[in-house]
mmCIF file of all heavy atoms in Angstrom:
data_model
loop_
_atom_site.group_PDB
_atom_site.id
_atom_site.type_symbol
_atom_site.label_atom_id
_atom_site.label_comp_id
_atom_site.label_asym_id
_atom_site.label_seq_id
_atom_site.Cartn_x
_atom_site.Cartn_y
_atom_site.Cartn_z
ATOM 1 N N LYS A 5 18.120 296.129 -19.095
ATOM 2 C CA LYS A 5 18.746 295.254 -18.104
ATOM 3 C C LYS A 5 19.782 294.384 -18.806
ATOM 4 O O LYS A 5 19.523 293.879 -19.912
ATOM 5 C CB LYS A 5 17.631 294.361 -17.527
ATOM 6 C CG LYS A 5 17.854 293.899 -16.109
ATOM 7 C CD LYS A 5 16.648 293.122 -15.600
ATOM 8 C CE LYS A 5 16.965 291.654 -15.599
ATOM 9 N NZ LYS A 5 15.904 290.745 -15.834
ATOM 10 N N ILE A 24 32.880 275.520 -35.948
ATOM 11 C CA ILE A 24 32.965 275.811 -37.386
ATOM 12 C C ILE A 24 34.355 275.411 -37.903
ATOM 13 O O ILE A 24 34.478 274.799 -38.970
ATOM 14 C CB ILE A 24 32.667 277.309 -37.654
ATOM 15 C CG1 ILE A 24 31.215 277.628 -37.305
ATOM 16 C CG2 ILE A 24 32.969 277.671 -39.112
ATOM 17 C CD1 ILE A 24 30.856 279.103 -37.348
ATOM 18 N N GLY A 30 40.401 272.762 -43.336
ATOM 19 C CA GLY A 30 41.075 272.434 -44.586
ATOM 20 C C GLY A 30 40.254 272.753 -45.829
ATOM 21 O O GLY A 30 40.742 272.621 -46.943
ATOM 22 N N LYS A 40 21.740 294.657 -40.841
ATOM 23 C CA LYS A 40 22.938 295.175 -40.228
ATOM 24 C C LYS A 40 23.281 294.425 -38.942
ATOM 25 O O LYS A 40 24.416 294.435 -38.490
ATOM 26 C CB LYS A 40 22.733 296.660 -39.857
ATOM 27 C CG LYS A 40 22.417 297.565 -40.998
ATOM 28 C CD LYS A 40 22.151 298.977 -40.444
ATOM 29 C CE LYS A 40 21.607 299.863 -41.520
ATOM 30 N NZ LYS A 40 21.107 301.151 -40.952
ATOM 31 N N ALA A 42 24.010 291.581 -37.735
ATOM 32 C CA ALA A 42 25.032 290.554 -37.487
ATOM 33 C C ALA A 42 26.460 291.046 -37.713
ATOM 34 O O ALA A 42 27.405 290.264 -37.629
ATOM 35 C CB ALA A 42 24.759 289.325 -38.360
ATOM 36 N N MET A 52 38.052 284.335 -35.133
ATOM 37 C CA MET A 52 38.296 283.212 -34.213
ATOM 38 C C MET A 52 38.288 281.873 -34.941
ATOM 39 O O MET A 52 38.512 280.831 -34.326
ATOM 40 C CB MET A 52 37.233 283.198 -33.118
ATOM 41 C CG MET A 52 37.375 284.325 -32.115
ATOM 42 S SD MET A 52 36.187 284.067 -30.796
ATOM 43 C CE MET A 52 36.101 285.686 -30.081
ATOM 44 N N GLY A 55 42.093 277.600 -39.684
ATOM 45 C CA GLY A 55 42.298 276.480 -40.593
ATOM 46 C C GLY A 55 41.240 276.337 -41.671
ATOM 47 O O GLY A 55 41.093 275.273 -42.272
ATOM 48 N N VAL A 63 24.441 290.559 -47.087
ATOM 49 C CA VAL A 63 23.111 290.767 -47.674
ATOM 50 C C VAL A 63 22.295 291.662 -46.755
ATOM 51 O O VAL A 63 22.554 291.743 -45.551
ATOM 52 C CB VAL A 63 22.333 289.441 -47.878
ATOM 53 C CG1 VAL A 63 22.990 288.570 -48.919
ATOM 54 C CG2 VAL A 63 22.147 288.693 -46.566
ATOM 55 N N THR A 73 3.383 288.619 -42.770
ATOM 56 C CA THR A 73 3.911 287.633 -41.829
ATOM 57 C C THR A 73 3.497 286.210 -42.177
ATOM 58 O O THR A 73 4.325 285.315 -42.192
ATOM 59 C CB THR A 73 3.470 287.954 -40.383
ATOM 60 O OG1 THR A 73 3.942 289.247 -40.069
ATOM 61 C CG2 THR A 73 4.055 286.960 -39.402
ATOM 62 N N THR A 74 2.233 286.044 -42.504
ATOM 63 C CA THR A 74 1.750 284.689 -42.747
ATOM 64 C C THR A 74 2.309 284.099 -44.038
ATOM 65 O O THR A 74 2.587 282.920 -44.109
ATOM 66 C CB THR A 74 0.207 284.650 -42.803
ATOM 67 O OG1 THR A 74 -0.234 285.753 -43.583
ATOM 68 C CG2 THR A 74 -0.384 284.699 -41.417
ATOM 69 N N LYS A 82 19.638 293.776 -50.673
ATOM 70 C CA LYS A 82 20.990 293.753 -51.244
ATOM 71 C C LYS A 82 21.401 292.300 -51.306
ATOM 72 O O LYS A 82 21.457 291.621 -50.294
ATOM 73 C CB LYS A 82 21.977 294.537 -50.380
ATOM 74 C CG LYS A 82 23.358 294.659 -51.009
ATOM 75 C CD LYS A 82 24.454 294.147 -50.095
ATOM 76 C CE LYS A 82 25.770 293.961 -50.796
ATOM 77 N NZ LYS A 82 25.954 292.597 -51.331
ATOM 78 N N PRO A 87 28.799 284.457 -56.798
ATOM 79 C CA PRO A 87 28.010 283.242 -57.019
ATOM 80 C C PRO A 87 28.340 282.215 -55.943
ATOM 81 O O PRO A 87 29.468 282.211 -55.430
ATOM 82 C CB PRO A 87 28.468 282.763 -58.399
ATOM 83 C CG PRO A 87 29.794 283.387 -58.623
ATOM 84 C CD PRO A 87 29.864 284.627 -57.787
ATOM 85 N N GLU A 97 23.618 285.219 -38.766
ATOM 86 C CA GLU A 97 22.478 286.080 -38.409
ATOM 87 C C GLU A 97 22.557 286.467 -36.937
ATOM 88 O O GLU A 97 23.122 285.726 -36.123
ATOM 89 C CB GLU A 97 21.184 285.291 -38.710
ATOM 90 C CG GLU A 97 19.885 285.907 -38.244
ATOM 91 C CD GLU A 97 19.507 287.207 -38.929
ATOM 92 O OE1 GLU A 97 20.334 288.125 -38.942
ATOM 93 O OE2 GLU A 97 18.363 287.298 -39.420
ATOM 94 N N THR A 102 10.881 284.275 -35.100
ATOM 95 C CA THR A 102 9.869 283.386 -35.688
ATOM 96 C C THR A 102 10.517 282.393 -36.655
ATOM 97 O O THR A 102 9.966 281.323 -36.907
ATOM 98 C CB THR A 102 8.816 284.189 -36.475
ATOM 99 O OG1 THR A 102 9.466 284.839 -37.568
ATOM 100 C CG2 THR A 102 8.116 285.208 -35.603
ATOM 101 N N LYS A 122 24.466 276.270 -44.307
ATOM 102 C CA LYS A 122 24.188 276.126 -42.881
ATOM 103 C C LYS A 122 23.888 277.495 -42.291
ATOM 104 O O LYS A 122 24.169 278.527 -42.910
ATOM 105 C CB LYS A 122 25.374 275.480 -42.171
ATOM 106 C CG LYS A 122 25.530 273.999 -42.463
ATOM 107 C CD LYS A 122 26.482 273.400 -41.446
ATOM 108 C CE LYS A 122 26.868 271.980 -41.764
ATOM 109 N NZ LYS A 122 27.787 271.464 -40.728
ATOM 110 N N GLU A 131 11.547 279.540 -28.324
ATOM 111 C CA GLU A 131 10.116 279.429 -27.986
ATOM 112 C C GLU A 131 9.212 280.270 -28.870
ATOM 113 O O GLU A 131 8.002 280.085 -28.878
ATOM 114 C CB GLU A 131 9.890 279.816 -26.517
ATOM 115 C CG GLU A 131 10.046 278.653 -25.568
ATOM 116 C CD GLU A 131 11.211 278.835 -24.606
ATOM 117 O OE1 GLU A 131 11.131 279.752 -23.773
ATOM 118 O OE2 GLU A 131 12.186 278.082 -24.715
ATOM 119 N N VAL A 135 7.987 278.947 -37.813
ATOM 120 C CA VAL A 135 8.265 278.009 -38.905
ATOM 121 C C VAL A 135 9.470 277.173 -38.506
ATOM 122 O O VAL A 135 10.322 277.615 -37.736
ATOM 123 C CB VAL A 135 8.548 278.734 -40.241
ATOM 124 C CG1 VAL A 135 7.332 279.481 -40.727
ATOM 125 C CG2 VAL A 135 9.735 279.679 -40.125
ATOM 126 N N LEU A 144 23.942 281.826 -28.170
ATOM 127 C CA LEU A 144 23.239 281.959 -26.890
ATOM 128 C C LEU A 144 21.745 281.796 -27.099
ATOM 129 O O LEU A 144 21.220 282.161 -28.149
ATOM 130 C CB LEU A 144 23.520 283.343 -26.299
ATOM 131 C CG LEU A 144 24.990 283.665 -25.971
ATOM 132 C CD1 LEU A 144 25.234 285.172 -25.938
ATOM 133 C CD2 LEU A 144 25.384 283.029 -24.647
ATOM 134 N N PHE A 150 12.959 291.918 -25.922
ATOM 135 C CA PHE A 150 13.593 292.591 -27.044
ATOM 136 C C PHE A 150 14.999 293.009 -26.629
ATOM 137 O O PHE A 150 15.175 293.733 -25.656
ATOM 138 C CB PHE A 150 12.767 293.808 -27.462
ATOM 139 C CG PHE A 150 13.138 294.317 -28.818
ATOM 140 C CD1 PHE A 150 12.561 293.783 -29.963
ATOM 141 C CD2 PHE A 150 14.096 295.322 -28.952
ATOM 142 C CE1 PHE A 150 12.933 294.244 -31.221
ATOM 143 C CE2 PHE A 150 14.467 295.787 -30.210
ATOM 144 C CZ PHE A 150 13.876 295.250 -31.350
ATOM 145 N N TYR A 154 25.741 294.857 -29.111
ATOM 146 C CA TYR A 154 26.566 293.936 -29.888
ATOM 147 C C TYR A 154 26.067 293.851 -31.342
ATOM 148 O O TYR A 154 25.919 292.785 -31.913
ATOM 149 C CB TYR A 154 26.583 292.556 -29.214
ATOM 150 C CG TYR A 154 27.712 291.657 -29.667
ATOM 151 C CD1 TYR A 154 29.036 291.938 -29.322
ATOM 152 C CD2 TYR A 154 27.466 290.537 -30.442
ATOM 153 C CE1 TYR A 154 30.072 291.120 -29.750
ATOM 154 C CE2 TYR A 154 28.496 289.712 -30.871
ATOM 155 C CZ TYR A 154 29.796 290.014 -30.524
ATOM 156 O OH TYR A 154 30.818 289.189 -30.951
ATOM 157 N N PRO A 166 28.805 297.015 -26.078
ATOM 158 C CA PRO A 166 29.584 295.765 -26.150
ATOM 159 C C PRO A 166 28.859 294.565 -25.555
ATOM 160 O O PRO A 166 29.245 293.428 -25.799
ATOM 161 C CB PRO A 166 30.845 296.068 -25.345
ATOM 162 C CG PRO A 166 30.761 297.482 -24.906
ATOM 163 C CD PRO A 166 29.368 297.976 -25.131
ATOM 164 N N ILE A 171 15.496 295.350 -23.329
ATOM 165 C CA ILE A 171 14.716 296.570 -23.091
ATOM 166 C C ILE A 171 13.625 296.247 -22.071
ATOM 167 O O ILE A 171 12.913 295.247 -22.218
ATOM 168 C CB ILE A 171 14.061 297.064 -24.404
ATOM 169 C CG1 ILE A 171 15.116 297.329 -25.485
ATOM 170 C CG2 ILE A 171 13.169 298.272 -24.149
ATOM 171 C CD1 ILE A 171 15.843 298.646 -25.394
#
Side-chain angles (χ1 to χ4, degrees):
K5 209 175 104 212
I24 294 172
K40 300 176 189 169
M52 289 187 199
V63 294
T73 301
T74 44
K82 186 235 167 268
E97 172 66 307
T102 63
K122 287 195 189 180
E131 272 116 66
V135 295
L144 298 157
F150 196 86
Y154 198 70
I171 302 279

